Amino acid sequence: MNATIANLLLIVLFFVIFYFLLIRPQQKRQRAVQQMQANLKKGDKIVTIGGLHGIIDSVDEDKIIIRAGDGTRLTYDRSAVREVVGKQRIT
C-alpha cells in the first residue's frame, strides 16, 4: 500500500513540476504578447513574425498599416507583430 501511495505522489509531483516549468511560463509569455499587440500605437517601431521591420502608420481594431523603409505601406493583422523595438517621434 505504501508503494502505491508513493507512486501516486510521484506522478502528482511530476505534473506539478511540468506545470511550473512548461505550462505556466508559456501562458505568461502568451499574455505578454497579447498585451503588447493590444497596446500598439501609431509611431511604434515593430518587427513582424516574418522579420519585416517598420513603423506603424495607422492602427485599426484588428489590422495595422506598417510603413516600411522605402515608404511603402503594408497592411498586416495585429497578431503578425512579434515585438515593439522602439518608438519614433511622429512629425
Side-chain angles (χ1 to χ4, degrees):
M1 178 143 177
N2 286 337
T4 331
I5 293 174
N7 287 337
L8 183 61
L9 287 176
L10 187 61
I11 291 172
V12 169
L13 179 67
F14 281 139
F15 279 117
V16 169
I17 290 172
F18 182 76
Y19 174 77
F20 281 106
L21 290 179
L22 296 174
I23 296 172
R24 191 163 180 249
Q26 177 63 27
Q27 288 174 339
K28 281 185 172 184
R29 280 190 298 270
Q30 198 171 22
R31 268 187 253 124
V33 167
Q34 288 172 343
Q35 183 71 27
M36 177 269 305
Q37 290 172 345
N39 293 331
L40 292 173
K41 293 181 178 40
K42 181 177 180 174
D44 287 351
K45 292 182 181 180
I46 55 125
V47 178
T48 66
I49 56 177
L52 175 79
H53 292 249
I55 299 168
I56 295 179
D57 194 48
S58 68
V59 179
D60 195 358
E61 189 171 317
D62 60 343
K63 300 212 182 298
I64 59 172
I65 296 178
I66 301 171
R67 189 175 63 233
D70 62 354
T72 58
R73 287 176 168 69
L74 306 163
T75 303
Y76 278 84
D77 288 336
R78 276 184 186 248
S79 60
V81 177
R82 182 178 69 203
E83 66 179 312
V84 175
V85 293
K87 308 241 181 243
Q88 178 177 346
R89 181 176 272 156
I90 301 171
T91 55

